[in-house]
Structure formats: structure tokens, C-alpha cells
Amino acid sequence: MVAWIRWTGEGRGEPLREERLWGLDVACAVFGGGDRRRDRWRFARMEEKTRRLGVNRVLVAPDFPWRERFRSLRIVQPLPLYRRWADVLALGWLEGRRIPPERSRVALAGNHVSPELRRAALCLGRRVREIAVDVPGEGGERLAAELRREYGIPVIPFGREGDLSLSFEPCPRPGQLRLWGEEADLDGLRLQAKGVEAPIEVEPGVLTLLWEQGKLGKERLRVTFAGQNSQ
């Protein structure tokens, strides 16, 4: 079970209740606020109640003001989801800017060939015109050779002007899509899934949980830009 805690900033909020949402068992609570001393006590009490239900992870909005006060609950982080489906994000970015994938140049950067970077390279190798691989050492060279062998795709030197760059680790040129750190930078992209209508502030976490449980596959994913909706 996961908890979904919302913040109102005033009043006592709403008591904890269990619901079935988005195909998940969710312990829902609304946390109010207004009295600093009481707020701390109420927050600790609410977290203890969720823990007794067997909850160890929580969905909260990015601007939830008590994020650092969780002790027994971990905030659901969507970064693994974004890294796993980096190719979907890349193709959505190109489509949104009306760049045909078969004419595009995409760059991938990392300090090693992680499983996510390799998967993105192989998936994009079937769709794009050229790929640049910026990975130091033999790992990057082996991946470039694999792309040429499997797809006959040109692997161009990193740094040549391209359409899109994805980075999987810190690097001097992080590119448009940054898939590392505490919070990914998707350059205005929004990852959605057909049939999942979650509030936008917790949507990434909901999709992450569904994916982790094997309830969300690539065929349901949609990429839009901020303000659009593909449901």
C-alpha cells in the first residue's frame, strides 16, 4: 500500500482513509496546518498511522512543505521510470517539435554504459537517423560498434550539432532531457498513460508504482507537452 498525502495549509485536514485508486491500494489523508506546534504533532501522528497500515512509501505534490520531515515513509521518485522509458521521451520530444525521427540526430551522454542508456540507444537505433554516444572508455566504443553492427546506423562524434541530447549522469552538457539527480528535467514533457487519470501533481508517482507492479507497459504510454492532454 502507498499513502497519498495532500496539503491545504489551513484547518485540521481530513482523517486517514483507505481507497482503491488507479488500480492501487491507497491510504489517503489531507493535512491542514496553521499552528506550527500542533502541525508537527499531527504530522508525526499521521505518519505513524500510515506506517501501522503497512505503508512505506508516499505520494505528495512537488510543493508539499513537509517533504523533509518524513521518517518512516519514502517519497515515490519517478526517475527510474523516466530512465527506463528514455526512448519514449526522446521520440515524444522529437514529435512535439515536428522533427521526423528518421531524419534526426540524437545524443546520449553518461559516465558509463548503464542498462538504461544502452536500452535507449538500441531502441532509438531502430528509429533515428544518427546517434552520438558520449561515454568515456571502452564501454562507449563497444556500444557504438554494436549500434553500427545491429542497425547500420552512423554513430557520430559527440558535440556535432544535433536535434536532441539526453544525459544519464552529470556531464558538462546535460542536454534537453536530464535523467539524473534528485529531479529529472524533461524540458516541458509530460509522461502519461492511457486509462490513468491521476492528479497532475502525483501522476509521475502513480505511473511509477503501476510500472513497478507490472501494470503499465510501453504500449499505454503517451508523451505530451505541458498544457496538452492525450487521455
Side-chain angles (χ1 to χ4, degrees):
M1 182 180 291
V2 65
W4 175 27
I5 300 176
R6 288 172 286 169
W7 165 263
T8 65
E10 59 183 15
R12 297 189 61 179
E14 298 176 10
L16 192 69
R17 66 187 187 280
E18 298 180 49
E19 294 189 26
R20 184 71 177 173
L21 299 172
W22 320 299
L24 301 167
D25 292 322
V26 183
C28 303
V30 177
F31 187 65
D35 184 305
R36 192 170 182 178
R37 182 175 298 178
R38 286 187 177 180
D39 288 349
R40 284 197 293 267
W41 177 80
R42 288 172 179 165
F43 186 82
R45 190 163 176 263
M46 178 184 60
E47 186 175 16
E48 176 61 20
K49 286 183 177 180
T50 60
R51 188 187 65 79
R52 290 176 183 173
L53 290 174
V55 173
N56 57 18
R57 300 173 76 185
V58 60
L59 296 164
V60 293
D63 60 352
F64 187 80
W66 294 70
R67 295 172 69 92
E68 304 303 321
R69 290 190 174 271
F70 286 116
R71 295 294 178 263
S72 60
L73 301 180
R74 295 180 293 110
I75 297 174
V76 178
Q77 300 292 351
L79 183 61
L81 175 76
Y82 295 149
R83 289 171 64 91
R84 174 63 173 81
W85 300 115
D87 60 309
V88 176
L89 293 169
L91 293 171
W93 189 96
L94 293 170
E95 179 182 354
R97 285 165 174 76
R98 302 181 185 276
I99 302 173
E102 65 275 10
R103 300 179 185 175
S104 67
R105 291 177 175 174
V106 176
L108 306 174
N111 55 35
H112 70 291
V113 179
S114 64
E116 298 93 342
L117 189 152
R118 181 177 182 275
R119 182 188 178 281
L122 295 178
C123 290
L124 291 171
R126 306 185 185 104
R127 303 288 304 276
V128 304
R129 178 185 176 187
E130 296 176 332
I131 285 183
V133 176
D134 183 26
V135 178
E138 295 182 359
E141 296 173 1
R142 286 196 296 269
L143 178 58
E146 184 176 5
L147 289 168
R148 285 190 290 263
R149 182 177 64 253
E150 293 295 326
Y151 306 112
I153 186 171
V155 181
I156 61 177
F158 194 85
R160 184 184 298 180
E161 184 176 355
D163 299 300
L164 170 63
S165 179
L166 298 82
S167 59
F168 289 79
E169 278 90 26
C171 60
R173 292 170 293 190
Q176 293 95 336
L177 302 183
R178 178 175 58 77
L179 306 179
W180 52 269
E182 292 186 5
E183 186 175 346
D185 184 353
L186 302 186
D187 194 31
L189 294 183
R190 178 183 175 189
L191 188 64
Q192 299 179 278
K194 186 176 181 180
V196 180
E197 298 184 5
I200 190 170
E201 65 269 17
V202 294
E203 183 179 48
V206 171
L207 297 185
T208 299
L209 292 168
L210 292 172
W211 166 63
E212 290 176 350
Q213 296 181 18
K215 298 178 180 179
L216 181 63
K218 184 176 182 178
E219 70 282 353
R220 293 175 61 192
L221 295 177
R222 304 288 185 271
V223 176
T224 61
F225 282 82
Q228 297 178 339
N229 193 309
S230 67
Q231 298 288 352

